[in-house]
Amino acid sequence: MKKKYVYISIIIITIILLIYNSKMIEENFIYFPDKEVGIYPENYNLIYDDVYFKTEDDLTLHGWFIYGKNTNKTILWFHGNAGNISHRVHNIKEMLNVINVNIFIFDYRGYGNSEGKPSEEGTYTDSKAALNYLQSRNDIDQNQIIYFGRSLGSAIASSLATKSNPTYLILESPIPSIPYMAKHAYPFLPISKFLKTQYNTIENLQSITKPVLIIHGDKDNTVPLEGAMKVFESANDPKQLYIIQGAGHNDTYFIGGYKYFKVIDDFIN
């Protein structure tokens, strides 16, 4: 009997700690920003504008507007929860070898050269500021802005799409929601019940009627394929699912190769 009460006490203490430390858990297990920008577009001979822009809560964010070749189509790129925009330059270079688009990629608050500290509401505010910046340019077609969200960025892109009007929405290795991810990572702990952060891609997609392309690797150990299927099922038509055989969470474009980029190119054209 004593052993039983010890186990119950441990469970109760664990739950109490989870409740009072949920903010700390969210900060430590959701965001992994890197402040050092080590690679630049010029390292791959890409032509770009170095961009700084303001959010509505007066933070300065940093991004790159990378030019395609005389194209009016622009991808607004929402990266994942780790690193910063410099870790996506090689991916962008490979994409531009196949797809003729402009690409605007920016860092959320707390990432790279952007000010502030990341939070769910903060990243939503950042996404609005990035779109406002694009809408201030007169050298792109405002009716040809494509949202591309990767991993955590899928939730941010889909959230913005519920309030704006992208031409297309592309979600790669999308997370269904943070509670789903918590259950997947810690199936025996009730962490998901105490998380304030949601990033609910599934809920967002239910109100989006623009064409959606979902890309996922069948060997993804971070977001299981089952999660991507839940995301796909929640999306309205027209929608398309592309599963990359042998790809994990972070190597989709590398494993997918030319076909991966061609699927995206066909979708947006």
Side-chain angles (χ1 to χ4, degrees):
M1 288 293 288
K2 286 185 178 180
K3 186 178 286 189
K4 178 182 177 181
Y5 288 125
V6 169
Y7 288 146
I8 293 173
S9 298
I10 291 173
I11 292 171
I12 292 173
I13 291 170
T14 300
I15 292 173
I16 291 171
L17 288 173
L18 287 172
I19 293 171
Y20 284 100
N21 292 285
S22 61
K23 188 174 186 295
M24 178 197 69
I25 291 170
E26 291 174 51
E27 291 176 353
N28 290 334
F29 290 94
I30 296 177
Y31 307 109
F32 298 92
D34 189 339
K35 296 299 291 182
E36 183 178 353
V37 178
I39 301 175
Y40 293 82
E42 65 251 35
N43 294 122
Y44 289 104
N45 299 314
L46 298 174
I47 300 172
Y48 73 106
D49 293 335
D50 196 40
V51 176
Y52 287 89
F53 58 100
K54 285 282 189 181
T55 64
E56 61 186 23
D57 54 347
D58 204 34
L59 290 178
T60 300
L61 304 184
H62 175 241
W64 294 322
F65 184 92
I66 302 172
Y67 290 88
K69 296 176 182 178
N70 299 316
T71 179
N72 61 356
K73 287 185 172 66
T74 303
I75 286 178
L76 177 53
W77 189 306
F78 303 82
H79 65 68
N81 70 328
N84 58 53
I85 57 177
S86 70
H87 298 99
R88 280 80 189 179
V89 179
H90 182 263
N91 190 167
I92 291 172
K93 177 251 185 187
E94 293 296 310
M95 179 175 283
L96 291 178
N97 284 340
V98 180
I99 308 171
N100 187 22
V101 288
N102 306 307
I103 295 176
F104 180 50
I105 185 169
F106 69 100
D107 268 325
Y108 315 120
R109 58 188 64 202
Y111 287 75
N113 291 328
S114 292
E115 296 177 342
K117 185 177 181 181
S119 68
E120 182 175 16
E121 285 306 315
T123 55
Y124 295 154
T125 300
D126 300 342
S127 71
K128 292 177 194 173
L131 179 60
N132 288 341
Y133 166 75
L134 275 186
Q135 291 173 335
S136 73
R137 296 184 66 112
N138 58 15
D139 58 346
I140 65 170
D141 187 342
Q142 299 297 327
N143 295 314
Q144 293 292 329
I145 297 177
I146 301 141
Y147 296 178
F148 177 86
R150 197 175 189 294
S151 191
L152 183 71
S154 64
I156 301 169
S158 60
S159 176
L160 183 63
T162 65
K163 306 174 187 69
S164 57
N165 197 30
T167 310
Y168 305 110
L169 178 63
I170 303 171
L171 306 180
E172 183 175 311
S173 307
I175 63 166
S177 68
I178 290 299
Y180 174 93
M181 296 301 297
K183 287 179 183 177
H184 171 65
Y186 306 101
F188 302 110
L189 292 175
I191 294 176
S192 61
K193 297 182 184 299
F194 309 115
L195 293 174
K196 295 179 181 177
T197 305
Q198 294 296 302
Y199 283 120
N200 200 322
T201 307
I202 286 176
E203 185 176 288
N204 294 337
L205 285 175
Q206 293 170 5
S207 63
I208 295 170
T209 57
K210 289 294 185 176
V212 178
L213 169 63
I214 294 170
I215 301 171
H216 210 84
D218 69 341
K219 303 298 183 186
D220 191 330
N221 293 322
T222 302
V223 182
L225 185 57
E226 174 204 45
M229 296 306 298
K230 288 182 181 296
V231 172
F232 180 70
E233 289 164 7
S234 70
N236 296 304
D237 290 321
K239 59 184 177 181
Q240 181 180 342
L241 175 66
Y242 174 47
I243 299 173
I244 304 172
Q245 302 299 318
H249 191 68
N250 295 311
D251 59 0
T252 43
Y253 80 95
F254 180 74
I255 298 296
Y258 176 79
K259 184 180 178 182
Y260 159 87
F261 293 115
K262 192 65 172 65
V263 166
I264 296 175
D265 192 39
D266 290 344
F267 177 74
I268 66 176
N269 284 297

